[in-house]
Amino acid sequence: MPRSYSQHAREQLNATSAADILLTLLEIRHPLLAVPVRIVGDTQNIVAAGDEFLACAFDITLPDDSDNQLPQARLEIDNIGRELTQWLEQSGGGVGATCRILQVMRSTPDLVEFDITLDMSGLAMDRQKVAATLGYADLLNQPAVTVYYTPSTAPALF
């Protein structure tokens, strides 16, 4: 999935000392959450597309642009506060959660430069970090049936 940034964003990304920075926003949704968790990887809150994103430290590895593989990202959020850990315990490890990754420039927060929604899986938590793998389920490479006809499962056929 190619990323098509605006001309201003490309200039700022390639600048040695940029006047404007690209912010990464996360929106985590789950059926047990009444309101999605919205955070920005910055030191101050930001309002983008009408929603407020709270400042929170996190590390994210964005999915690469390879054509022959499913996009996969890695997310680590600092484990601050009890809200996130309580939700993880109530939801059975966040099963069924999705994470929307957005990138915006600080000067134009309503212009979304990058937007992708991925399924969250493999959530792990310790005292310092909450980590998750973001991607899609590989449904096309799963077997279509649960039992194959082999000499051990159906000896009368062979």
Side-chain angles (χ1 to χ4, degrees):
M1 87 191 58
R3 296 184 191 136
S4 56
Y5 293 114
S6 67
Q7 180 65 30
H8 174 70
R10 285 193 307 266
E11 289 172 359
Q12 296 302 310
L13 286 171
N14 292 326
T16 305
S17 59
D20 198 6
I21 60 170
L22 187 70
L23 297 174
T24 302
L25 313 171
L26 298 179
E27 185 178 81
I28 300 172
R29 293 182 177 270
H30 189 271
L32 292 179
L33 292 173
V35 177
V37 175
R38 293 184 178 100
I39 58 176
V40 58
D42 197 16
T43 57
Q44 51 188 307
N45 298 353
I46 190 169
V47 175
D51 296 317
E52 183 177 14
F53 290 81
L54 303 176
C56 181
F58 63 85
D59 294 319
I60 188 162
T61 305
L62 293 175
D64 56 6
D65 291 338
S66 299
D67 286 337
N68 296 328
Q69 66 183 19
L70 292 172
Q72 190 171 15
R74 184 79 184 144
L75 173 65
E76 289 184 348
I77 304 172
D78 285 353
N79 191 1
I80 55 171
R82 296 251 326 133
E83 293 84 8
L84 190 59
T85 56
Q86 286 175 346
W87 167 71
L88 282 173
E89 290 170 358
Q90 291 173 353
S91 65
V95 175
T98 60
C99 181
R100 181 179 179 201
I101 305 168
L102 301 121
Q103 287 185 326
V104 298
M105 300 302 293
R106 181 188 295 280
S107 63
T108 55
D110 290 329
L111 174 64
V112 177
E113 301 284 348
F114 177 73
D115 186 358
I116 188 171
T117 302
L118 301 168
D119 297 327
M120 294 181 76
S121 63
L123 277 102
M125 176 178 57
D126 62 17
R127 287 189 282 175
Q128 296 174 341
K129 300 261 185 203
V130 176
T133 302
L134 307 175
Y136 298 117
D138 191 8
L139 298 175
L140 296 177
N141 289 325
Q142 290 183 352
V145 295
T146 57
V147 178
Y148 292 101
Y149 289 113
T150 62
S152 61
T153 61
L157 293 177
F158 296 94

